[in-house]
Amino acid sequence: MRAYLYDNLDTDCREPHEQNPSVPVSVEELEASGVLYWKLKDENFEAQIDKICADRNYKNRDQITVSKEGLGELFDAKIKTFFAEHLHEDEEIRAILEGTGYFDIRDKQDRWVRIKVEAGDLIVLPAGIYHRFTLDTNNYLKAMRLFKEDPVWTPLNRPCDENPYRKAYLEAIEAN
Ligand code: KMT
Ligand code: NI
């Protein structure tokens, strides 16, 4: 995992979009936005994921392969939905099993922070944070999606500033 400020250029979102010079964003800065991160060791992701699930009470899981082959005729629509700025009323928990991609999150100053993820990265985006996802030019990512309870996938597109989860999120990070 590596995070940096997004350059906001209007070119293909699968490109890195890193500013020049780069402005890195640390794990601590991500934490201040409520984003949690674990690096899984190379072997046996499943056992390490099991432990985090037990510790944090994540009860359900499924797998998604974000690629043309994995999503078939849904690919274009899904990719578009993932990259529309949105929030969820629950945590978005992803363990990357194979491949690479980008999660973009809005920081406290409403700037886009790009988080490049690869196999072994486990990230948790808190409920209420504005974010989006894209593949990179490798066009392949396989992830395990973890849930506290039943999977709820509803993306609420920005603006939804009056949403109670949005408000609670802003309150929670205010002191950071
Ligand atoms: C979301 O809601 O943004 C996603 O599920 C992204 C795709 S999972 C790698
Ligand atoms: Ni999402």
Side-chain angles (χ1 to χ4, degrees):
M1 188 278 282
R2 206 166 65 77
Y4 52 82
L5 289 188
Y6 192 78
D7 65 10
N8 291 320
L9 293 182
D10 205 15
T11 49
D12 185 352
C13 58
R14 297 168 203 230
E15 298 294 335
H17 286 273
E18 190 160 0
Q19 294 182 23
N20 184 15
S22 179
V23 185
V25 174
S26 67
V27 172
E28 291 73 25
E29 287 172 285
L30 291 176
E31 271 172 17
S33 300
V35 175
L36 304 177
Y37 171 74
W38 286 266
K39 180 74 197 179
L40 307 177
K41 291 185 211 87
D42 275 348
E43 276 160 50
N44 206 352
F45 288 159
E46 198 95 18
Q48 298 167 72
I49 292 169
D50 286 348
K51 171 141 189 0
I52 290 170
C53 288
D55 289 349
R56 296 184 61 83
N57 234 347
Y58 299 152
K59 297 195 188 81
N60 287 305
R61 61 178 76 178
D62 72 3
Q63 275 187 33
I64 182 171
T65 301
V66 187
S67 68
K68 269 214 162 100
E69 218 186 355
L71 294 174
E73 58 189 27
L74 295 174
F75 180 75
D76 289 339
K78 284 281 178 198
I79 286 293
K80 212 170 155 191
T81 314
F82 290 157
F83 200 65
E85 182 172 2
H86 64 274
L87 61 73
H88 306 281
E89 295 186 339
D90 212 336
E91 290 178 344
E92 180 165 321
I93 314 157
R94 302 284 182 269
I96 313 307
L97 303 176
E98 293 172 11
T100 45
Y102 299 117
F103 286 93
D104 295 337
I105 61 119
R106 290 283 190 182
D107 72 5
K108 284 182 78 169
Q109 294 150 74
D110 212 30
R111 299 175 301 186
W112 279 122
V113 172
R114 173 150 280 196
I115 306 171
K116 181 173 179 63
V117 293
E118 60 183 7
D121 289 334
L122 195 163
I123 71 165
V124 179
L125 307 184
I129 193 172
Y130 284 129
H131 67 279
R132 63 189 182 188
F133 171 82
T134 179
L135 290 170
D136 61 22
T137 51
N138 293 318
N139 291 312
Y140 180 83
L141 177 136
K142 185 172 166 187
M144 189 173 289
R145 307 190 290 190
L146 305 165
F147 319 94
K148 286 185 178 161
E149 301 293 343
D150 292 334
V152 184
W153 284 132
T154 322
L156 302 173
N157 283 354
R158 191 172 187 177
C160 44
D161 297 331
E162 297 310 312
N163 180 283
Y165 292 87
R166 176 66 188 165
K167 289 184 168 175
Y169 166 73
L170 289 176
E171 254 170 57
I173 64 158
E174 197 172 19
N176 296 347

